[in-house]
Amino acid sequence: MRRRLFLVGAAVATALASTLATTTAHADARPAGPPPPGTALVVPAPSGHHPVGRTVVHLRDESRADPWVPSEKRELMVSLWYPALKPSDTPAPYMTAEESKQYAAATGLNLPADLFAGVRTHSTVDAKPAKARGGLPLVILSPGFGMPRATLTGLAEEFAARGYAVAGIGHNYEADGISFPDGRTTSCVACVNRDYPKVGAVRAEDISFVLDEFTGARSAWKRGAPVDTDRVAVVGHSAGGFSTVPAMLRDPRVKAAVNMDGNFRFPNDTPLDRPFLMLGQPSHVPGGIDPTWDETWTELTGWKRWLSVDDMGHLSFTDLAPLAKQLGMPLQRLDGDRADAITRTYVTAFVETHLRGCGTPLLDGPTARFPEVRFHLLPPGAPQH
């Protein structure tokens, strides 16, 4: 059996697999070994027809102390992907050199410090934005705990190529590597004492702050089309996934949300009547080892779907699935490109349905196109296939 990326080693593989199935994982699951020398990695290309631009914005909330370092104000780095008229001459990097160094070091292995800085993307820096009548729908992305926002680049580029603005939030002190314009690269201070309910509350505030900053006349995105505040969705992985519920409860501007394999670490006692997609690995099923999914399902009173994907792992819903395949160290039983395609297909189908009204039978029930995807507890009245 091939050893899999992000397992510490044979002695703890079984225990770690159980941990990933029952808790929100940090990016401290370890690769099996260093990649071959000279390995070049590339994020899979998006399927949309728009060229993709990317800009990076530094935000500072003067009204709020940082919850992890209270002597500082809350700061965020936000990557903004968007549909462009044509590419610029500068490819957008995946991570900065320092972000790559920190993230590689956090694995505890002999990974090249520049491995993630060298990943090729399909975005270009500050490309001229395409015009959008009525404004662009906005998707906010929140990454897993300890994980840089870059690990959701493939999904971001997929949305941007389809005509969305996408804001990937770097939640300061919650990731192994966030670079700021003044040369600082911060580390995951919050990882020392993991207070997951606090993480959810903090991220909900961050999401509202980002919405404030990217909407209205004083938008932090000076060059781009306005954002349509009636069409906003939040998509998160792991900690970013469970943070979508407190974000929706806090901010009615969030019209729909997706949790990709995150335990729901908040009080599951407040009804939520807006569209929600729960998308998880095989252990996230009704009556499974994580009761928070069952508890949350009962509080979702609007349009909802609960899907699991066979042979996926906790980190399979990120860029790490296809990148690990390219390294020759697969992350899960399912092919890495197939895992990536399933994630993009179902997440974009959900958002297109609820922000653009582009309904699709894909969300009605099982299909022969994707036999790995299982539907659970389809609500009364939903099509039964």
Side-chain angles (χ1 to χ4, degrees):
M1 179 177 178
R2 299 181 71 180
R3 298 175 69 193
R4 300 193 182 281
L5 185 67
F6 296 104
L7 294 183
V8 175
V12 295
T14 301
L16 214 168
S18 176
T19 299
L20 290 178
T22 56
T23 67
T24 299
H26 173 228
D28 56 5
R30 309 289 193 247
T39 299
L41 305 179
V42 58
V43 176
S47 63
H49 67 275
H50 291 283
V52 178
R54 198 206 70 181
T55 191
V56 178
V57 180
H58 174 211
L59 301 178
R60 178 181 170 93
D61 188 350
E62 296 291 349
S63 69
R64 184 166 47 131
D66 190 280
W68 313 111
V69 182
S71 61
E72 300 178 6
K73 295 296 185 183
R74 184 64 168 166
E75 293 180 89
L76 307 173
M77 291 301 297
V78 178
S79 294
L80 189 67
W81 292 267
Y82 54 90
L85 289 176
K86 63 179 182 179
S88 74
D89 294 331
T90 307
Y94 190 71
M95 294 185 191
T96 69
E98 283 300 314
E99 287 169 343
S100 177
K101 181 179 178 180
Q102 275 204 32
Y103 190 47
T107 67
L109 291 168
N110 187 29
L111 293 176
D114 62 353
L115 178 67
F116 298 103
V119 174
R120 289 189 289 117
T121 71
H122 300 277
S123 313
T124 58
V125 175
D126 293 336
K128 187 174 181 180
K131 295 181 179 180
R133 181 179 300 175
L136 294 171
L138 174 66
V139 177
I140 296 176
L141 298 180
S142 183
F145 193 56
M147 300 181 72
R149 65 194 185 279
T151 54
L152 297 177
T153 293
L155 190 57
E157 292 181 336
E158 183 68 35
F159 273 113
R162 293 168 177 246
Y164 288 79
V166 184
I169 304 178
H171 302 277
N172 200 21
Y173 296 120
E174 298 175 30
D176 290 311
I178 297 179
S179 294
F180 287 84
D182 62 6
R184 290 173 295 150
T185 297
T186 58
S187 61
C188 191
V189 174
C191 294
V192 177
N193 294 300
R194 302 180 188 182
D195 184 340
Y196 289 120
K198 180 178 177 179
V199 170
V202 169
R203 292 194 177 199
E205 287 190 83
D206 288 348
I207 288 166
S208 288
F209 177 60
V210 167
L211 264 172
D212 291 341
E213 292 295 298
F214 283 102
T215 58
R218 299 179 60 187
S219 173
W221 188 27
K222 304 299 183 184
R223 300 176 61 243
V227 167
D228 182 352
T229 53
D230 289 328
R231 295 188 293 168
V232 176
V234 178
V235 178
H237 168 249
S238 194
F242 74 68
S243 298
T244 59
V245 170
M248 293 185 85
L249 293 174
R250 172 189 173 87
D251 199 322
R253 292 174 295 182
V254 180
K255 305 302 183 185
V258 181
N259 174 12
M260 299 188 296
D261 211 55
N263 287 21
F264 290 96
R265 297 178 180 272
F266 66 97
N268 302 78
D269 55 5
T270 305
L272 180 60
D273 64 356
R274 278 164 277 162
F276 203 94
L277 171 63
M278 305 193 328
L279 178 65
Q281 61 178 308
S283 61
H284 274 138
V285 294
I289 54 180
D290 173 15
T292 68
W293 280 49
D294 296 89
E295 294 163 4
T296 299
W297 181 256
T298 64
E299 297 298 336
L300 298 174
T301 60
W303 190 104
K304 59 183 179 180
R305 292 291 185 272
W306 182 343
L307 310 181
S308 65
V309 187
D310 292 346
D311 296 328
M312 293 273 268
H314 181 68
L315 301 177
S316 305
F317 300 91
T318 73
D319 296 340
L320 299 179
L323 296 181
K325 176 185 176 180
Q326 293 170 39
L327 288 170
M329 297 182 290
L331 182 62
Q332 65 286 303
R333 291 187 186 93
L334 189 63
D335 175 82
D337 289 325
R338 178 69 172 176
D340 181 69
I342 288 172
T343 299
R344 293 190 192 203
T345 299
Y346 279 88
V347 173
T348 56
F350 169 82
V351 173
E352 294 266 63
T353 295
H354 296 291
L355 295 194
R356 284 180 164 163
C358 302
T360 169
L362 187 71
L363 298 174
D364 292 344
T367 172
R369 286 178 57 204
F370 297 103
E372 306 94 335
V373 179
R374 300 186 183 274
F375 282 67
H376 306 287
L377 303 177
L378 276 169
Q384 304 284 332
H385 290 183

